[in-house]
């Protein structure tokens, strides 16, 4: 996937910010589509088939969280939130609803480029895996279908966000193998991920909650910092 093939949907109502970001992205070789409000963003998402979305939080018509929720009902497209909000509760809520990453305003354009590169590398890895891996595999009561991007627990389909799906797949590849936060960050988010290490904890908690009792205990916490998948004693 070359930069010239990457189509970015930029959703930003501040014309000055949008003009600057759009120009810088185009200088990097990306195609950019600009939406000025949440309604237009949903229309362009449907009609223009973007590769990823840069989504402002505070928008006219529909705010960024509403746009995020509506897109997540039908697509796993990567979404980076551009936001002036920086409270832990706001960010955690957005991550819980399927946000891939966020960057707080004002931001350095090079940091935004780095976050985009992380996501593009993940997309390339996922495309490569689709061509080289088996299409599905199981681990105890858990099953993933890599082609259809579906996850099952005890034959019940469970919705996971893109990052949650990538994280459980990474654990299922090597059951019983203890993996550190850093290893999981590197595998799922990329080597130059610039967020917080407790991001892994948030996503593990979300997956456990979705698995429910008794299956949430399949994901074990080891030494307080590491994780592994262990199924032999699960009912």
């Amino acid at each position: 996937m070359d930069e010239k093939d990457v189509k970015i949907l930029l959703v930003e109502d501040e014309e000055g910010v949008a003009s600057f970001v759009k120009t810088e992205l185009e200088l990097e070789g990306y195609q950019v589509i600009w939406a000025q409000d949440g309604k237009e963003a949903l229309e362009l998402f449907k009609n223009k088939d973007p590769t990823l979305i840069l989504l402002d939080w505070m928008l006219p018509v529909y705010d960024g969280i509403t746009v995020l929720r509506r897109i997540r009902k039908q697509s796993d497209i990567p979404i980076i939130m551009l936001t002036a909000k920086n409270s832990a509760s706001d960010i955690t809520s957005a991550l819980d609803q399927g946000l891939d990453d966020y960057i707080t305003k004002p931001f350095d354009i090079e940091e935004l480029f780095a976050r985009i590169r992380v996501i593009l590398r993940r997309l390339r890895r996922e495309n490569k895996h689709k061509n080289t891996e088996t299409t599905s595999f199981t681990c105890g009561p858990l099953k993933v279908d890599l082609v259809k991007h579906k996850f099952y627990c005890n034959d019940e389909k469970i919705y996971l966000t893109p990052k949650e799906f990538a994280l459980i797949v990474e654990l299922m590849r090597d059951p019983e193998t203890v993996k550190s936060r850093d290893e999981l960050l590197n595998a799922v988010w990329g080597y130059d991920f610039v967020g917080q290490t407790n991001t892994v904890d948030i996503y593990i908690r979300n997956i456990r909650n979705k698995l429910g009792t008794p299956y949430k205990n399949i994901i074990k916490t080891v030494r307080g910092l590491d994780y592994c998948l262990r199924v032999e004693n699960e009912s």
Side-chain angles (χ1 to χ4, degrees):
M1 183 188 301
D2 296 328
E3 279 74 9
K4 62 182 176 59
D5 299 320
V6 175
K7 189 185 301 180
I8 297 177
L9 174 55
L10 171 63
V11 189
E12 172 60 67
D13 64 316
E14 294 183 39
E15 186 171 353
V17 174
S19 178
F20 169 72
V21 173
K22 183 175 184 294
T23 298
E24 293 296 321
L25 289 170
E26 289 174 340
L27 288 173
E28 289 293 302
Y30 301 118
Q31 303 175 52
V32 183
I33 313 160
W34 177 31
Q36 298 184 65
D37 60 56
K39 181 180 179 181
E40 185 182 12
L42 292 171
E43 292 171 352
L44 290 175
F45 160 72
K46 180 179 179 180
N47 297 321
K48 296 298 183 179
D49 192 27
T51 309
L52 65 89
I53 299 174
L54 300 179
L55 178 64
D56 188 24
W57 190 306
M58 305 302 294
L59 292 168
V61 188
Y62 304 134
D63 66 15
I65 291 296
T66 300
V67 173
L68 171 66
R69 287 179 185 143
R70 294 193 178 189
I71 289 177
R72 279 292 170 258
K73 289 180 179 179
Q74 54 187 306
S75 174
D76 296 327
I77 184 173
I79 300 176
I80 301 175
M81 188 78 82
L82 312 176
T83 177
K85 293 177 176 286
N86 57 10
S87 74
S89 60
D90 285 333
I91 297 303
T92 299
S93 174
L95 291 170
D96 285 346
Q97 294 176 72
L99 186 65
D100 288 89
D101 199 358
Y102 68 93
I103 186 169
T104 54
K105 297 180 178 180
F107 54 82
D108 186 295
I109 194 67
E110 293 299 329
E111 181 181 352
L112 178 59
F113 290 162
R115 292 174 185 268
I116 291 172
R117 288 194 296 269
V118 167
I119 284 180
L120 293 180
R121 277 198 297 277
R122 173 168 63 85
L123 291 177
R124 292 185 188 105
R125 285 198 305 271
E126 289 175 355
N127 290 334
K128 181 179 179 181
H129 287 319
K130 285 179 182 178
N131 294 327
T132 59
E133 286 190 328
T134 56
T135 58
S136 66
F137 55 94
T138 61
C139 182
L142 308 183
K143 178 179 179 180
V144 291
D145 185 323
L146 297 173
V147 175
K148 296 181 180 179
H149 210 271
K150 295 185 184 298
F151 173 71
Y152 302 87
C153 179
N154 200 28
D155 295 324
E156 178 184 354
K157 186 169 71 173
I158 296 176
Y159 171 75
L160 297 181
T161 68
K163 281 294 195 299
E164 290 168 357
F165 185 86
L167 187 54
I168 195 66
V169 167
E170 186 63 27
L171 290 170
M172 289 175 67
R173 290 187 201 282
D174 302 297
E176 305 294 332
T177 300
V178 176
K179 297 192 176 185
S180 69
R181 284 175 176 171
D182 286 339
E183 288 177 295
L184 293 171
L185 280 172
N186 290 340
V188 177
W189 281 265
Y191 283 92
D192 53 1
F193 177 72
V194 288
Q196 301 294 319
T197 56
N198 66 355
T199 298
V200 172
D201 301 334
I202 293 171
Y203 279 84
I204 291 290
R205 182 194 67 201
N206 292 345
I207 295 170
R208 282 172 169 161
N209 288 339
K210 291 179 179 181
L211 289 174
T213 306
Y215 301 107
K216 65 181 180 180
N217 293 324
I218 288 174
I219 304 176
K220 304 294 184 184
T221 302
V222 183
R223 298 185 293 272
L225 296 173
D226 308 325
Y227 295 100
C228 76
L229 212 62
R230 194 167 293 159
V231 301
E232 71 275 14
N233 294 322
E234 300 300 328
S235 58

